[in-house]
Amino acid sequence: MKSTVERITKATAPAVAALICAAVSTAPGHARAADEKARYLPEYNAAGDLLLPKNFHEWIFVGSPLTPNALNGGEANFPEFHNVYIEPGSYAIYQKTHVFPEGTIFLKELQLTLPKKYPDGSRDEPSGRGYFPGAFNGADVTVKDSKRFAASNGWGYFNFNHHEPKAPTAKVRAKEECAYCHIASAKKDDVWTQFYPLLDN
């Protein structure tokens, strides 16, 4: 006849194993690995062009500066709302470290204002007089990769059209086209954190 201890041991072994598995799955190292796997990292085609990021409307929205034509001599460089998103996994790391990790992706979706009523480009709506978002108008993407984009201070800049539809892929822009302005004036790591309270820490 089996001893009472042996019977109890066999009966409780599965439960103990389950508890051990649960403990391992919630250990800090395992959690970090899960977070890293959850990140959406840049995707490139065989030619080295960046693919338009997927599902970016589900990312973290950080801000929407506006530089309408009517306030810029009729020829603003970006005559739209700049709806800026950061990839969620990268944002989670930034929250903890205050450093944008390698592979960080920012996407700026351009959105035109509704047609103006007044010379300054504003119009009336039920909420009052102001500027109101209209049609989407293309997108720009910024990717952090210190090795791939060493020539532009560690960030690559991509134009997916300044009109619709957005291009499915884009080539990296020359430093003189985008990076120089970020390097000269952006507050932190070539990112315009001064315009985005969510990142300005």
Side-chain angles (χ1 to χ4, degrees), residues 1 3 17 99 111 160 168 172:
M1 180 179 295
S3 68
V99 174
Q111 188 171 17
F160 286 85
V172 67

Side-chain angles (χ1 to χ4, degrees), residues 53-61 85 107 109 136 166:
K54 301 179 179 66
N55 304 317
F56 62 85
H57 283 136
E58 299 174 10
W59 292 7
I60 305 297
F61 175 74
Y85 301 84
L107 187 143
E109 185 171 40
F136 291 128
K166 298 172 182 67

Side-chain angles (χ1 to χ4, degrees), residues 13-70:
V16 172
L19 288 172
I20 292 173
C21 289
V24 170
S25 66
T26 56
H30 191 280
R32 283 196 299 272
D35 287 344
E36 290 174 1
K37 289 181 180 178
R39 289 183 71 193
Y40 175 88
L41 295 173
E43 296 181 286
Y44 301 90
N45 62 19
D49 301 338
L50 182 70
L51 276 59
L52 181 67
K54 301 179 179 66
N55 304 317
F56 62 85
H57 283 136
E58 299 174 10
W59 292 7
I60 305 297
F61 175 74
V62 298
S64 188
L66 172 64
T67 53
N69 275 328

